[in-house]
């Protein structure tokens, strides 16, 4: 059983930056591929970014490519999402997730955090 806890959300002006953190209980990040999803009110949960368990390969949604950077510190059992040049359309609840496999649809995730709210003002 894995527990995932996100932190770092808040209110930021358009063009600003935030760094989200996802802390996992136990030694989990060596066993799972991990990533970030987000869900805005009235919209489906969507993929944002992923990092393979090796740490050497990443994937980003087209909407955030070039602005967001995913990373993780296995020793600290923590994953990060650095968000730059934030836009109002980035406003959403951001969720940390982990999977045994490689299916990056929300339905393919095996573990979820409870989410952290990011609000970007115009």
């Amino acid at each position: 059983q894995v527990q995932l806890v996100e932190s770092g959300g808040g209110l930021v002006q358009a063009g600003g930056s935030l760094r989200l953190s996802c802390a996992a209980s136990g030694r989990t990040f060596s066993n799972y591929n991990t990533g970030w999803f987000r869900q805005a009110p009235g919209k489906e949960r969507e993929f944002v970014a992923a990092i393979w368990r090796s740490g050497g390969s990443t994937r980003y949604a087209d909407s955030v490519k070039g602005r967001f950077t995913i990373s993780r510190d296995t020793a600290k059992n923590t994953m990060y999402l650095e968000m730059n040049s934030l836009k109002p359309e980035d406003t959403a609840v951001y969720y940390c997730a982990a999977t045994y496999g490689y299916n990056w649809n929300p339905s393919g995730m095996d573990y979820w955090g409870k989410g952290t709210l990011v609000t970007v003002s115009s």
Side-chain angles (χ1 to χ4, degrees), residues 9-10 18 28 32 37-38 40 55 71-73 91-92 96 103 112 122:
L18 282 175
T28 61
Y32 307 113
F37 292 76
R38 66 186 183 186
S71 63
R72 73 185 196 183
D73 187 333
T91 296
C96 174
N103 182 357
W112 291 97
S122 58

Side-chain angles (χ1 to χ4, degrees), residues 43-62:
K43 294 187 176 181
E44 297 290 327
R45 190 169 299 188
E46 65 176 353
F47 170 78
V48 176
I51 185 166
W52 305 157
R53 51 179 162 260
S54 68
S57 184
T58 59
R59 180 191 173 199
Y60 297 91
D62 289 342

Side-chain angles (χ1 to χ4, degrees), residues 19-35:
R19 188 175 78 162
L20 305 182
S21 298
C22 173
S25 62
R27 293 175 286 179
T28 61
F29 285 167
S30 62
N31 297 315
Y32 307 113
N33 300 315
T34 55

Side-chain angles (χ1 to χ4, degrees), residues 61-102:
D62 289 342
S63 59
V64 306
K65 191 174 297 182
R67 299 189 297 120
F68 292 10
T69 302
I70 188 171
S71 63
R72 73 185 196 183
D73 187 333
T74 302
K76 295 181 178 179
N77 227 11
T78 301
M79 179 176 65
Y80 305 96
L81 184 68
E82 185 168 352
M83 305 183 293
N84 301 309
S85 301
L86 283 162
K87 305 174 181 179
E89 52 262 44
D90 295 318
T91 296
V93 176
Y94 283 72
Y95 297 90
C96 174
T99 178
Y100 296 110
Y102 299 92

